[in-house]
Amino acid sequence: MRERSGRLEEIPGEEAFPAYLESRIASFYERAGLVQLRNGEKGAVTIGGAVSPAGGNFEEPVTQATLKVVGAFHGLSRARADARRYPSVDPLDSWSKYTSFIEAPKVKKGIDILKKSRSVNQMMKVIGEEGTSIGEFIDYLKGEFFDAVYLQQNAFDKVDESTTDDRQKYVYGLMEEIIDKPFEFKEKDEARKFFQELSQMVIGWNSVDFKSDQFQKEEKQIRDKISNVTS
Amino acid sequence: MQKVYSQILQIAGDVITVEAEGVGYAEIAEVRTRYGISLAQVIRLDGRRVSLQVFAGSRGVSTGDPVRFFGHPMRVATGSDLLGRIFNGSGQPLDGGPALAGNLVETAGPPVNPVQRIIPRRMIRTNIPMIDVFNSLVESQKLPIFSIAGEPYNDVLARIAVQAQVDIILLGGMGLKYDDYLYFRDALEEHGALARAIFFVHTAADPTVECLLVPDLALAVAEQFALDGKRVLVLLSDMTNFCDALKEIAITMEQVPSNRGYPGDLYSQLAARYEKAVDFEAAGSITVLAATTMPGDDVTHPVPDNTGYITDGQFYLKNRVIEPFGSLSRLKQQVNGKTRDDHRTIMDTMIQLFASYRETLEKQAMGFQMSPWDKKLLRYGDLFEKEMMALTVNVPLERALDRGWEILAESFAPEETGIKKSMIEKFWPGRPKRAKDQAH
């Protein structure tokens, strides 16, 4: 649109896009919808649009015009991609106006630990690891753990590349238990070591077929590791 | 019959305007001035008014000079006669050799029909670990090197040209400094690669217009070799100069400027060149590597921005190393599953840990106490920078992967890396030796 608008010698708008950019984008996304047909059946059009803003800057006109009219937003984050945390959808920047198959209060728990973890991480950048209490540090580790084993997937792994909703719900149960559990460690390094080991176990578990014997065996090992630490 | 027009109505920049009939868009003409003969190309038709850009520049053109239209667009000689030769931006020899007119093909034709293409599947080995291990280069890929002036992007291009296993190397130089051009020539000659190379060189002192022709000439020649079953590597340096030449012409032509004065069709102009990269079903391939300097190191500048939308990823060359962050080869997954079982594990794990190392560096810079984990990361980051990232490292992929495991083992315990147990068991080097070291 920008290229053609220039050719037509129209007066350029923001960043040389034509002035009608927003209304065009809106009229495109508004074609998505669920309709009741005259015979009583339902039909639906779902639109997934990829927008790659210049330099990853979400303030630019196309991204902003798109965000105004869509029902969900999966924001790919440069920082996550750099750290090879894939899929690099930022869990806190992204949002959806629709309901998940995991109940809202449970989802909120996950989001809360991620927020807490991020803020502790920010804080540590200012006051250092030694300036945080062990409780806050464990929250930080919990968030990192939840991110590493639940939000991240290995696209090169046959099992982990695609996780069914049943499995997502099931594993979320365990995540919730870990998030809720008041772990106690004397030293930060001891806590870090525990979560590193736990992460490795759950990452291995992620590439085992759901509900297989191996799945149950590894789940038991994971649960044992968790209960051993708090005893 | 070719008509000669001898009344030039306007001369603005390197663009002249004559009144003529029966002339086609992008057609080539010849302008005879008192200093010699120059080619020119039609870039705008407005009724009978024909605007041409004069390749040698309009300096010396007077309003009475004759303009003769050839009736065809720009053509270039192709074939093996060109090997080892050096030409300028309008296809004239610079090396003192004879001008060539065999197997003429039109330049700037449409890119190859998708039906005749195949999905890229062959890796190009460069012996640079940051490319081979972390962002493998794939035959028929189009990839820019984003850099800033002063970085050794031409050295990287020359090194890839010399080491890559390809049949033909085409160098398109745009706004090259004279010494860069000589550097390319000497580097290729030294490694005996000049005999399979062809240069189209526009130096910074040459007329702007010729800069625009360089990629088209190089790619047209490359295409003929690829059709002939050859694997061709096209190096373009520097595409930002090409875009600036486009800007210069567009403004001279009084086009409405788009972002930062660049013409609105910058994207299409770049795409028309990059999309020439191809892997033919039953013939050769064209791989395009292009240096793109970012003015002010700003990736949102229109040139790198538009480039990024077209190409299959990018390499960031910063502080004399290929940055692991931001650098990306979108085709790497087509090839890195077939190299060695541990390729993808090393690729992801080492970068994940390197990202943590960068965070630790920030902490260190703020003067915080370093935990034992931080110290491990610092040790790891140092090894990674020295033995993987440094451009002086020149090892085959397999050796680089082995070295990757060694660096991990020198820095961490296996479970700290987050690598799956099955991979650790298979690849983790020298565990007993490590235990012994710790006992000391």
Side-chain angles (χ1 to χ4, degrees):
Chain A
M1 277 163 64
R2 176 158 70 181
E3 195 168 324
R4 207 185 51 169
S5 164
R7 276 277 189 249
L8 292 172
E9 305 193 350
E10 292 171 349
I11 294 171
E14 205 181 341
E15 287 187 31
F17 286 105
Y20 45 81
L21 178 77
E22 281 196 18
S23 52
R24 283 292 177 82
I25 289 175
S27 62
F28 168 69
Y29 282 104
E30 282 295 305
R31 297 181 81 100
L34 187 62
V35 289
Q36 181 116 39
L37 303 175
R38 290 213 174 128
N39 65 1
E41 288 176 26
K42 281 180 182 163
V45 173
T46 308
I47 298 179
V51 178
S52 40
N57 168 24
F58 287 167
E59 308 299 312
E60 61 85 51
V62 179
T63 313
Q64 285 304 314
T66 305
L67 286 178
K68 275 186 191 172
V69 291
V70 294
F73 164 62
H74 294 158
L76 297 184
S77 136
R78 170 81 187 265
R80 282 181 75 83
D82 281 351
R84 302 299 186 263
R85 296 179 172 206
Y86 291 123
S88 60
V89 176
D90 189 299
L92 296 180
D93 289 351
S94 305
W95 47 263
S96 172
K97 291 180 182 165
Y98 309 109
T99 43
S100 163
F101 52 73
I102 295 175
E103 297 89 55
K106 293 186 173 192
V107 174
K108 188 171 178 302
K109 232 179 242 178
I111 291 176
D112 285 347
I113 196 73
L114 288 169
K115 277 189 183 155
K116 177 80 186 156
S117 173
R118 187 182 279 190
S119 82
V120 175
N121 192 18
Q122 299 275 322
M123 203 161 64
M124 284 198 297
K125 281 183 185 149
V126 185
I127 55 172
E129 206 175 291
E130 61 268 33
T132 51
S133 71
I134 184 100
E136 282 174 331
F137 190 70
I138 289 171
D139 281 344
Y140 159 70
L141 290 174
K142 277 181 179 173
E144 287 289 287
F145 166 79
F146 177 57
D147 185 349
V149 306
Y150 192 79
L151 299 182
Q152 291 174 39
Q153 280 174 283
N154 184 352
F156 296 140
D157 187 286
K158 280 191 192 68
V159 177
D160 199 21
E161 68 169 0
S162 165
T163 311
T164 58
D165 50 353
D166 280 344
R167 184 172 183 149
Q168 286 186 49
K169 272 187 256 185
Y170 185 80
V171 178
Y172 201 89
L174 178 69
M175 292 298 122
E176 219 187 337
E177 283 174 42
I178 294 171
I179 292 168
D180 287 341
K181 196 151 227 160
F183 289 97
E184 279 181 27
F185 295 100
K186 284 190 203 72
E187 297 288 329
K188 282 176 190 157
D189 283 320
E190 189 193 337
R192 186 191 332 259
K193 188 158 183 296
F194 170 77
F195 277 102
Q196 273 174 346
E197 285 165 2
L198 191 63
S199 294
Q200 196 194 23
M201 290 171 85
V202 183
I203 287 168
W205 191 45
N206 282 342
S207 44
V208 177
D209 283 318
F210 188 42
K211 298 260 164 95
S212 63
D213 291 346
Q214 183 67 15
F215 183 86
Q216 268 142 15
K217 193 179 127 205
E218 293 194 17
E219 180 178 355
K220 182 156 185 326
Q221 289 169 349
I222 292 166
R223 288 188 182 276
D224 285 350
K225 181 156 181 78
I226 299 165
S227 47
N228 281 345
V229 77
T230 38
S231 61
Chain B
M1 191 192 73
Q2 289 171 331
K3 265 193 192 169
V4 176
Y5 298 89
S6 60
Q7 199 184 8
I8 297 175
L9 302 174
Q10 186 189 320
I11 303 171
D14 289 335
V15 179
I16 62 170
T17 308
V18 294
E19 284 206 334
E21 269 172 2
V23 176
Y25 186 71
E27 195 172 299
I28 291 293
E30 176 193 87
V31 187
R32 223 172 255 271
T33 73
R34 70 180 120 146
Y35 297 111
I37 299 169
S38 170
L39 293 178
Q41 184 173 31
V42 177
I43 53 168
R44 175 185 276 180
L45 294 167
D46 178 10
R48 297 188 63 232
R49 287 169 70 94
V50 180
S51 299
L52 304 109
Q53 71 194 3
V54 184
F55 293 171
S58 59
R59 194 168 290 179
V61 178
S62 75
T63 49
D65 288 340
V67 179
R68 187 167 66 92
F69 291 92
F70 288 170
H72 61 74
M74 185 72 185
R75 290 175 177 170
V76 64
T78 61
S80 51
D81 289 352
L82 275 76
L83 290 172
R85 297 290 309 271
I86 301 173
F87 303 93
N88 72 3
S90 47
Q92 303 304 313
L94 277 179
D95 52 5
L100 294 175
N103 308 315
L104 286 172
V105 294
E106 288 182 2
T107 66
V112 177
N113 186 340
V115 176
Q116 290 175 333
R117 295 171 181 245
I118 51 171
I119 292 175
R121 58 184 173 198
R122 271 193 294 196
M123 180 174 157
I124 297 184
R125 284 163 178 266
T126 64
N127 289 357
I128 300 174
M130 291 314 286
I131 297 178
D132 289 357
V133 177
F134 298 100
N135 283 300
S136 317
L137 183 63
V138 183
E139 223 179 287
S140 85
Q141 191 160 25
K142 40 192 181 291
L143 209 70
I145 298 179
F146 286 166
S147 191
I148 49 172
E151 291 285 348
Y153 50 90
N154 284 332
D155 305 47
V156 174
L157 285 181
R159 192 168 144 199
I160 294 172
V162 168
Q163 297 190 157
Q165 288 158 339
V166 291
D167 301 320
I168 311 276
I169 302 157
L170 266 147
L171 174 80
M174 288 153 285
L176 271 192
K177 288 200 299 279
Y178 208 78
D179 44 342
D180 286 334
Y181 149 56
L182 293 176
Y183 170 79
F184 271 116
R185 198 192 59 187
D186 295 347
L188 265 63
E189 189 161 27
E190 190 185 326
H191 292 87
L194 201 57
R196 56 187 170 103
I198 303 164
F199 284 38
F200 286 94
V201 175
H202 165 265
T203 66
D206 293 338
T208 318
V209 183
E210 292 189 351
C211 183
L212 294 179
L213 295 169
V214 165
D216 292 335
L217 293 171
L219 289 161
V221 172
E223 210 161 68
Q224 294 306 309
F225 277 114
L227 282 169
D228 206 22
K230 297 282 193 287
R231 302 161 72 187
V232 188
L233 177 65
V234 180
L235 308 174
L236 300 171
S237 175
D238 161 354
M239 283 303 275
T240 305
N241 288 335
F242 169 79
C243 297
D244 287 339
L246 275 177
K247 175 164 81 172
E248 197 175 318
I249 302 294
I251 289 173
T252 312
M253 295 301 296
E254 298 177 359
Q255 276 183 29
V256 176
S258 184
N259 233 356
R260 295 213 211 176
Y262 287 93
D265 64 348
L266 182 63
Y267 175 86
S268 308
Q269 294 281 4
L270 284 169
R273 274 81 190 183
Y274 282 118
E275 284 292 327
K276 290 272 184 181
V278 61
D279 205 344
F280 280 106
E281 171 129 40
S285 66
I286 302 177
T287 310
V288 179
L289 270 177
T292 299
T293 49
M294 302 184 288
D297 201 11
D298 174 15
V299 75
T300 67
H301 183 277
V303 175
D305 184 26
N306 282 293
T307 304
Y309 289 133
I310 305 158
T311 52
D312 308 310
Q314 67 275 321
F315 293 143
Y316 276 95
L317 187 67
K318 208 171 175 179
N319 300 325
R320 312 189 81 80
V321 290
I322 295 173
E323 262 285 323
F325 305 126
S327 293
L328 171 71
S329 160
R330 290 203 177 103
L331 298 181
K332 66 180 169 186
Q333 59 268 36
Q334 309 286 358
V335 296
N336 63 13
K338 295 179 284 193
T339 48
R340 220 168 81 171
D341 289 348
D342 55 334
H343 189 157
R344 288 171 167 172
T345 306
I346 283 288
M347 173 179 90
D348 280 336
T349 308
M350 292 200 90
I351 301 299
Q352 265 168 1
L353 289 164
F354 191 70
S356 305
Y357 158 73
R358 285 269 167 99
E359 277 182 22
T360 296
L361 271 191
E362 276 175 34
K363 275 202 267 176
Q364 195 186 32
M366 309 268 290
F368 293 130
Q369 209 179 323
M370 294 283 99
S371 68
W373 172 243
D374 287 327
K375 282 178 191 153
K376 284 183 175 186
L377 284 172
L378 287 174
R379 180 178 159 76
Y380 165 75
D382 188 51
L383 284 172
F384 186 83
E385 282 176 349
K386 278 195 193 125
E387 303 195 22
M388 284 282 182
M389 271 170 86
L391 279 179
T392 46
V393 180
N394 191 358
V395 291
L397 170 73
E398 287 72 15
R399 180 73 201 101
L401 291 175
D402 291 345
R403 191 62 203 128
W405 285 106
E406 284 162 28
I407 293 174
L408 288 174
E410 278 170 50
S411 316
F412 304 107
E415 66 276 5
E416 289 169 338
T417 58
I419 299 175
K420 268 194 297 188
K421 268 225 171 73
S422 54
M423 291 304 280
I424 296 272
E425 277 158 16
K426 200 164 161 199
F427 289 101
W428 195 265
R431 289 177 84 173
K433 183 170 159 273
R434 193 180 147 74
K436 206 166 58 185
D437 285 350
Q438 281 178 338
H440 278 294

